[in-house]
Amino acid sequence: TLLQGTARRDRFAIDKVLAAIGGELSAGVDPEHLSVSGSALASGMDVVLDVLGDALTSASYAVAEVARERDRLVERIKMNRSRPQVIAREALQRRRYGNHSFAREWPEADDVAGVTPPAVRALHRRSVVPGGAILVLVGDIEPDRTMDLVASVLAAWRSDHPAVGLAPLPELTGADLQLVHREGAVQSQLRLSAQAVTRDDERYPALQLANLVFGGYF
């Protein structure tokens, strides 16, 4: 609900002003980071940045918006938790990372159902901060003008603390076969995990190519 309304615009006004410049913005979150991404006509970059700055500094998290998205997320979680792929994925993540937050890709439905708008606003103040954030702009850009524009629209985005970082990941260790029983299942899900090379390793391009040779799924 980060982009579902601010002190200046409700979600309909946000959609309208972005549509006028052929633009869109979306927000997503995973165990590692919050990301906001979007696009627009090059001539509308100032509008996109204005909406972004508005959301970062004064997202309203209106009661109706939070309630609607909360109920939708609860249903999604319940549906996903019944899917064999998700059950297998969660079992694999717990085996690899234990109690580390990296393993918790989905919250519990009951926990989500209890979230209130004030709790979301408090989370925003604590976690959506400029310290540790990265802004990437790609397009027909005049560097000096763009820097001035960014400084202007994000001037009010301030915090006295940086973003919270993840704890170091535990070392991955091999293990024997793990079985997860699912009563009445008509298919089995298999997951095999092992340590691969890092992305800055000279063998990484070969690994990517081998992955495509196998069909990409692996």
Side-chain angles (χ1 to χ4, degrees):
T1 49
L2 174 67
L3 299 166
Q4 296 297 307
T6 69
R8 293 168 52 198
R9 306 178 176 99
D10 61 17
R11 66 186 178 97
F12 301 106
I14 290 175
D15 290 343
K16 183 177 180 180
V17 72
L18 289 176
I21 55 161
E24 55 86 22
L25 280 174
S26 62
V29 67
D30 61 31
E32 290 183 278
H33 61 271
L34 166 73
S35 62
V36 180
S37 60
S39 63
L41 297 173
S43 58
M45 184 175 65
D46 57 338
V47 176
V48 171
L49 287 174
D50 181 63
V51 174
L52 174 61
D54 199 15
L56 292 173
T57 57
S58 66
S60 57
Y61 301 107
V63 173
E65 300 293 349
V66 172
R68 185 181 68 250
E69 294 299 336
R70 178 183 60 207
D71 294 345
R72 183 185 303 178
L73 182 56
V74 167
E75 288 302 312
R76 284 182 59 197
I77 292 172
K78 290 180 178 178
M79 290 179 59
N80 275 346
R81 283 265 158 74
S82 67
R83 298 173 59 202
Q85 300 96 320
V86 174
I87 296 173
R89 171 70 179 179
E90 290 195 321
L92 176 64
Q93 291 295 78
R94 286 194 299 269
R95 177 59 193 86
R96 289 197 287 199
Y97 303 117
N99 293 325
H100 192 280
S101 57
F102 202 83
R104 196 180 187 201
E105 296 178 335
W106 288 87
E108 298 297 329
D110 289 344
D111 293 339
V112 174
V115 173
T116 63
V120 180
R121 296 182 195 115
L123 175 66
H124 183 117
R125 290 191 298 270
R126 184 172 67 252
S127 300
V128 186
V129 295
I134 298 172
L135 176 64
V136 178
L137 300 173
V138 179
D140 186 6
I141 292 173
E142 298 177 15
D144 291 340
R145 176 184 176 277
T146 302
M147 291 296 293
D148 291 341
L149 179 61
V150 169
S152 174
V153 298
L154 298 183
W157 191 32
R158 299 178 181 275
S159 176
D160 59 1
H161 63 275
V164 177
L166 282 178
L169 287 171
E171 183 178 351
L172 296 183
T173 56
D176 293 331
L177 180 68
Q178 179 178 355
L179 301 176
V180 179
H181 180 65
R182 185 166 183 260
E183 190 70 32
V186 295
Q187 289 183 327
S188 295
Q189 293 282 321
L190 305 178
R191 297 292 186 274
L192 177 66
S193 177
Q195 186 71 54
V197 300
T198 58
R199 296 187 182 188
D200 56 356
D201 191 286
E202 63 181 9
R203 297 167 293 172
Y204 186 68
L207 174 65
Q208 291 294 86
L209 183 57
N211 189 41
L212 293 174
V213 171
F214 274 111
Y217 179 83
F218 296 94

